[in-house]
Amino acid sequence: MLSRVSAERSLMLLPPLHRVPLRLGNVVEIAGPSPSAKTQILIQAAVYCILPKEWRGVHYGGLEHLVMFIDLDCRFDILCLSQSLKHRLMETSGSGNKVNWEQNDDPWGSGTEEPNIGYDEELFAACMRRFLYIRCYDSFEFLATLKTLRYRLQRARETHGVTAHFLMIDSIGAFYWVDRASTSLHLESNSRKRLSLQSISETVVEEIRKLLLVHPMLVLATKATILGDTYSTNEVKRTSMKLSSNDPSNLRTVTGGPQKLSYREFMPLVWQSFVTHRILVRAADDDPANSKYQSRSIFLSEWLMPSLNFSDKFIVRDAGVFVVS
């Protein structure tokens, strides 16, 4: 009963994922063009998960659980995670053993130099061990990983004494065009079964569903979008066309003032139906109000599912992602 209650408890993540309460079992799609800080958002969520709630009397406010990160883009740099974690530890050490996870200001100021504050190396090593990383180079490896992931997570649970809370996939559409270009993919040379784009997506969704029954986790998946026109700086409002079951590539429209942006939903319908939450991130237009952040890129985030009537503006620094006014 305690395990079930814990799994059903809402999770309040860090910006820009802080607007909507999430639960284990939810599937969150972080969509946006490249670059739009999608991987940085995953890194910040991972740091939040692997940090302990408290360590030697110091409050860190983390979840102290495992993170399973599946890298399909094959571009993830573990040093980025390491650097972000060190900044979080130093931030806590320099703040009198309290961290404000939902702060709206940049604690590092407008400069690029980090404060000369030490961190607990034993805690750093313990947190890094809770980050589990797998790299897949094609759909075959991705499917093989999903089919064996329950056993990996079980061994990791026995080793670390905690369960995995986050399953991260970066990015879910990495092999889409390769699989689409292949008319058929053979599982084995003498096998009759063929893997098409549709069957691969169905198998991915089926394997993740079965995995979540055994190991309840929050799924965070990034996805690159195919964009049309540029955004305006006005508040973005979304109007979506009805999904067609016959055409997996649905054209969506995001409006903002007089300009419109069209992006094509290229993932098969089986994946679209599997997603429970969707957030769109993008680079902000040039705006005089952003002049004080000239050294940093400004990004906008908007929840499409559920649809919210406002968007957040945020910047990315070594210490993490921060909402700005």
Side-chain angles (χ1 to χ4, degrees):
M1 181 191 70
L2 293 177
S3 176
R4 185 175 66 252
V5 171
S6 177
E8 293 176 352
R9 184 178 55 187
S10 296
L11 299 172
M12 296 303 297
L13 301 187
L14 306 184
L17 303 177
H18 63 304
R19 294 298 184 183
V20 177
L22 302 170
R23 300 177 183 271
L24 302 186
N26 289 155
V27 180
V28 182
E29 182 183 88
I30 305 172
S34 181
S36 56
K38 298 186 295 296
T39 302
Q40 285 85 347
I41 293 173
L42 292 185
I43 290 176
Q44 176 164 272
V47 170
Y48 170 60
C49 186
I50 62 181
L51 274 174
K53 183 176 182 180
E54 187 174 334
W55 172 269
R56 294 177 178 174
V58 179
H59 179 75
Y60 289 91
L63 299 176
E64 199 170 354
H65 279 272
L66 303 176
V67 171
M68 175 57 71
F69 192 103
I70 302 179
D71 183 12
L72 304 185
D73 271 342
C74 302
R75 294 185 299 176
F76 181 77
D77 188 355
I78 194 66
L79 292 179
C80 293
L81 172 70
S82 173
Q83 186 179 36
S84 182
L85 176 59
K86 288 179 180 178
H87 275 81
R88 284 296 183 184
L89 297 178
M90 290 188 294
E91 177 186 289
T92 308
S93 300
S95 62
N97 72 0
K98 183 178 181 182
V99 176
N100 183 7
W101 288 105
E102 297 183 0
Q103 59 189 346
N104 291 329
D105 296 326
D106 183 2
W108 303 93
S110 58
T112 57
E113 295 183 359
E114 63 188 47
N116 185 18
I117 304 173
Y119 62 92
D120 193 317
E121 293 185 1
E122 182 181 351
L123 174 58
F124 172 79
C127 291
M128 291 298 293
R129 284 194 293 268
R130 286 192 282 268
F131 183 81
L132 311 177
Y133 177 82
I134 299 176
R135 174 173 289 185
C136 300
Y137 292 93
D138 54 42
S139 292
F140 287 123
E141 292 188 6
F142 184 36
L143 293 177
T145 296
L146 292 177
K147 287 180 177 294
T148 59
L149 201 53
R150 58 179 298 181
Y151 305 106
R152 296 185 185 217
L153 292 176
Q154 182 62 35
R155 289 197 301 268
R157 178 180 182 179
E158 296 170 357
T159 301
H160 300 278
V162 291
T163 59
H165 259 29
F166 292 170
L167 172 62
M168 298 182 173
I169 304 174
D170 188 24
S171 74
I172 190 62
F175 308 133
Y176 173 85
W177 299 109
V178 176
D179 296 340
R180 182 175 179 178
S182 303
T183 55
S184 63
L185 300 174
H186 293 273
L187 285 175
E188 298 177 0
S189 58
N190 59 349
S191 174
R192 295 182 179 180
K193 187 174 182 179
R194 296 168 181 261
L195 286 180
S196 63
L197 173 63
Q198 181 67 23
S199 63
I200 290 176
S201 300
E202 292 173 354
T203 306
V204 167
V205 170
E206 179 184 0
E207 293 299 329
I208 296 178
R209 275 205 177 103
K210 292 191 296 186
L211 179 64
L212 295 182
L213 292 177
V214 182
H215 300 281
M217 294 178 290
L218 173 64
V219 181
L220 298 172
T222 64
K223 184 191 70 177
T225 56
I226 304 174
L227 298 178
D229 299 330
T230 58
Y231 288 93
S232 70
T233 55
N234 298 330
E235 182 179 3
V236 182
K237 295 183 179 180
R238 173 179 179 264
T239 57
S240 61
M241 299 177 63
K242 184 178 179 181
L243 295 178
S244 172
S245 58
N246 297 325
D247 183 10
S249 300
N250 299 280
L251 190 63
R252 312 286 183 87
T253 302
V254 178
T255 63
Q259 297 183 357
K260 295 183 179 180
L261 169 82
S262 298
Y263 71 94
R264 184 167 295 279
E265 178 56 79
F266 60 89
M267 291 296 292
L269 185 61
V270 63
W271 170 259
Q272 298 179 46
S273 303
F274 184 51
V275 172
T276 61
H277 299 74
R278 180 177 289 111
I279 183 173
L280 179 67
V281 292
R282 61 178 176 85
D285 296 336
D286 295 333
D287 191 334
N290 300 335
S291 58
K292 60 180 178 179
Y293 302 106
Q294 286 180 354
S295 60
R296 297 287 175 175
S297 298
I298 309 294
F299 300 95
L300 294 178
S301 64
E302 177 201 7
W303 282 95
L304 304 183
M305 186 192 307
S307 179
L308 301 182
N309 294 325
F310 57 88
S311 60
D312 285 315
K313 184 185 298 184
F314 65 93
I315 62 174
V316 177
R317 295 185 64 88
D318 293 335
V321 179
F322 299 95
V323 173
V324 296
S325 56

